[in-house]
Amino acid sequence: MSDYLDVAVVRIQSWLSRVPDLAGRRGASAMIRRATESETIDSLLTGWEDHAERCAEAGHVDGVVPLRLRAEDEETRHRVERLVVGHLREWLPGASLRSTLRRGEDWLAAHDGAPACWERDWPAAVSEWPLGKQCDWCQTWPANGHRWTGAKEKRKQEALCPDCLLRYDNAGSPSSDKAERTPGTERDLLDLWDKQHNTAARIPDKFPELVEKFGERGDNTHLATVYADGDAISQFGKELHKQRSRGRGGEFDMAKAIDDATWCALLRGIEAVANPDAESDSGIKTLPLVAHLVGGDDVLVSLPAHRAWRFALEMQRKFNESLRKTLKDAGLGTIKVPTQSVGMVFHHHSSPLATASDLAEELLQETKRDYRSSRASLGWQDITNDGPHPVGRGGITPETLEHCWGDLTELSKLGGSALANLAKLARTNDQQRLHQQAKRLGREELVARFDSDSIPLEDAVGMVRWWKEWS
Ligand SMILES: [Zn+2]
């Protein structure tokens, strides 16, 4: 039996997106990568080799430090825990941390979904910070320093808290010439794109650039922030462990397989919504997306609203397809292949990213609950039209979305006022007038096809507000 200690950032996407400026989010991505990358952890553990080692089997996930403990006495274990917590606290002063101890024959067995031996929370130690004016970025903590922010013409001095000061100092730019200044997640994405397409790409620097370059004519103001993760991953681990105890799949690397499937799916989603030849600056293609976090089975990205449905559908399909192949190749074709679920929030590009990403997480949890994580599903909401609090709209499966794709495209061709009328009648459930209106539009059959067995009409009208026809 071995003991495994994970020290991880709690609700990482919420911490990442806490600041309004994309530079602050990029700074946070870079901080989290540097704080938890294997080289950093190996050097942190120098001199502690008798007590703990970095657990390579867990793979690398931004924001998680996975250790295998060698020390057996409680006191030494707590010293190891405090060493790691202290290290993360220094790098990520405003993040809340949690340490979890699990036990098992190996890493997989320890992560098979059984309850942890113990868990301990380490909230951000804000009380130790000097009292002062509130931070201009996160509006949460007292500021204790100043930085010049904003573009050249609009430069202003802002008061920042210790967490945001570090974000500022670590904020590179994805289009930066210096690779080391590009945040880890986006650097990984660009490397992967380069490898697969044999051509360099870049990522838009700011949300306005993203929507201006890729938004639809007439409406290029909205983004979708998409939060995805794998369904029933611990059940998957349990099943793999069972197979391993029967002598099957001993070589199968679960962490790597999930990580690969996640990246492969993300890339497929981007390919599906990136125009093949347009959007290139001096020969370098700009990707229609900003990546906030990709690690393990988690994905948090923002992209222009009209591209989101296609992106999500392709990503969900590919995640499952990619894992299915890896499992089959490893002789584990009989295992239930994990799926990926999505929370998707449409919002104005200038509205707070934190509101969108927190809501996306909430919708993701809600749809997973509704479908009991037994299949892929997607929960969505439009902050501009539905408000920022969950409205309780049910999730949709990729199968339903695919089945209704043609009808949704037809629906999207009706004018804005016709759609608004249909939505109003659907909401009041006035069947007679709805029928008359549909008849007037000459789309009775189309309108009738949207119902509770497919997609309710009111939801469908909301979906096609951000729709794009793909050939
Ligand atoms: Zn702050």
Side-chain angles (χ1 to χ4, degrees):
M1 284 288 178
S2 293
D3 283 353
Y4 296 86
L5 178 69
D6 289 341
V7 185
V9 176
V10 181
R11 297 194 66 228
I12 187 171
Q13 91 292 348
S14 193
W15 175 75
L16 278 172
S17 59
R18 194 174 281 162
V19 294
D21 198 307
L22 197 50
R25 200 279 302 150
R26 288 201 160 110
S29 292
M31 282 147 72
I32 227 162
R33 170 64 58 93
R34 281 174 213 168
T36 57
E37 64 193 352
S38 36
E39 295 79 11
T40 310
I41 299 307
D42 288 342
S43 91
L44 176 72
L45 294 174
T46 308
W48 292 76
E49 292 87 349
D50 291 344
H51 307 309
E53 64 174 336
R54 182 174 57 82
C55 178
E57 210 184 332
H60 170 79
V61 177
D62 279 344
V64 184
V65 178
L67 302 177
R68 182 183 292 110
L69 295 178
R70 293 200 174 112
E72 295 198 340
D73 66 294
E74 266 324 273
E75 178 48 32
T76 313
R77 289 159 161 244
H78 285 317
R79 278 171 52 216
V80 171
E81 182 190 6
R82 283 196 299 269
L83 172 78
V84 178
V85 169
H87 159 79
L88 291 180
R89 180 59 65 236
E90 202 173 300
W91 278 82
L92 318 164
S96 289
L97 309 171
R98 178 174 298 150
S99 43
T100 308
L101 189 86
R102 294 188 176 87
R103 186 164 295 158
E105 288 154 37
D106 55 20
W107 179 80
L108 191 59
H111 290 77
D112 72 352
C117 304
W118 53 255
E119 265 183 359
R120 219 189 317 270
D121 281 327
W122 303 83
V126 179
S127 58
E128 291 165 18
W129 297 359
L131 272 175
K133 179 187 174 302
Q134 200 182 50
C135 172
D136 285 325
W137 270 13
C138 66
Q139 312 277 336
T140 309
W141 295 311
N144 81 329
H146 291 85
R147 291 289 185 274
W148 286 96
T149 62
K152 268 179 220 136
E153 359 20 292
K154 295 188 211 146
R155 279 182 91 64
K156 56 179 189 281
Q157 208 177 35
E158 290 187 299
L160 303 181
C161 72
D163 195 76
C164 292
L165 282 169
L166 273 172
R167 288 173 188 250
Y168 179 92
D169 294 342
N170 281 284
S173 149
S175 52
S176 162
D177 296 336
K178 296 183 196 126
E180 74 275 10
R181 296 275 292 161
T182 305
T185 298
E186 293 180 326
R187 193 164 72 223
D188 290 347
L189 175 59
L190 294 177
D191 286 349
L192 195 63
W193 182 276
D194 197 349
K195 214 155 82 190
Q196 302 246 321
H197 294 262
N198 233 337
T199 161
R202 62 179 286 277
I203 287 170
D205 251 343
K206 302 246 174 213
F207 281 160
E209 184 195 347
L210 181 62
V211 288
E212 273 157 32
K213 229 184 189 84
F214 299 100
E216 292 304 288
R217 205 178 304 222
D219 190 350
N220 57 0
T221 56
H222 276 67
L223 291 173
T225 289
V226 177
Y227 188 22
D229 79 357
D231 298 308
I233 296 297
S234 57
Q235 186 61 36
F236 178 54
K238 200 182 245 173
E239 188 58 34
L240 285 173
H241 179 59
K242 209 193 284 172
Q243 296 286 336
R244 191 175 286 186
S245 62
R246 292 177 192 152
R248 277 197 288 268
E251 296 296 302
F252 186 79
D253 184 337
M254 172 174 159
K256 185 176 183 310
I258 288 178
D259 202 51
D260 286 352
T262 302
W263 277 106
C264 197
L266 173 63
L267 210 64
R268 177 70 201 110
I270 298 173
E271 285 162 356
V273 299
N275 301 0
D277 30 61
E279 300 139 17
S280 93
D281 290 335
S282 57
I284 296 180
K285 194 178 179 68
T286 304
L287 303 187
L289 166 138
V290 167
H292 311 298
L293 169 76
V294 184
D297 61 324
D298 283 343
V299 175
L300 180 68
V301 297
S302 298
L303 75 163
H306 290 84
R307 298 176 191 236
W309 287 107
R310 187 86 230 166
F311 166 80
L313 179 61
E314 296 288 343
M315 179 170 72
Q316 285 183 300
R317 271 191 198 149
K318 188 69 185 178
F319 180 83
N320 191 246
E321 185 189 307
S322 164
L323 265 182
R324 183 181 306 280
K325 184 174 181 320
T326 319
L327 283 166
K328 195 163 170 249
D329 292 348
L332 295 164
T334 55
I335 290 189
K336 180 176 173 352
V337 185
T339 49
Q340 183 190 56
S341 284
V342 168
M344 188 153 88
V345 171
F346 296 94
H347 57 102
H348 193 274
H349 72 79
S350 65
S351 77
L353 179 62
T355 308
S357 75
D358 285 356
L359 178 58
E361 188 203 13
E362 217 165 318
L363 297 174
L364 174 62
Q365 299 314 333
E366 203 175 270
T367 194
K368 277 169 173 282
R369 258 196 316 274
D370 288 351
Y371 287 91
R372 297 175 188 187
S373 294
S374 64
R375 59 190 300 187
S377 67
L378 180 154
W380 68 277
Q381 190 164 323
D382 179 344
I383 288 185
T384 306
N385 291 286
D386 303 322
H389 304 294
V391 292
R393 179 187 287 121
I396 176 173
T397 65
E399 293 77 19
T400 302
L401 182 55
E402 205 170 352
H403 177 73
C404 298
W405 194 273
D407 287 342
L408 286 163
T409 302
E410 285 305 306
L411 193 68
S412 74
K413 291 176 183 165
L414 298 180
S417 61
L419 286 172
N421 255 331
L422 286 176
K424 203 168 100 194
L425 295 172
R427 204 162 34 241
T428 52
N429 202 18
D430 188 341
Q431 290 302 325
Q432 198 187 348
R433 287 186 58 203
L434 182 61
H435 186 73
Q436 283 168 357
Q437 170 73 3
K439 200 167 170 186
R440 207 170 304 142
L441 295 164
R443 305 318 304 260
E444 288 162 276
E445 282 179 28
L446 175 68
V447 168
R449 282 201 290 275
F450 291 103
D451 57 24
S452 52
D453 290 335
S454 58
I455 299 171
L457 182 62
E458 194 189 342
D459 289 355
V461 170
M463 290 168 75
V464 302
R465 192 170 281 127
W466 313 111
W467 198 257
K468 184 172 159 69
E469 191 174 359
W470 299 93
S471 48

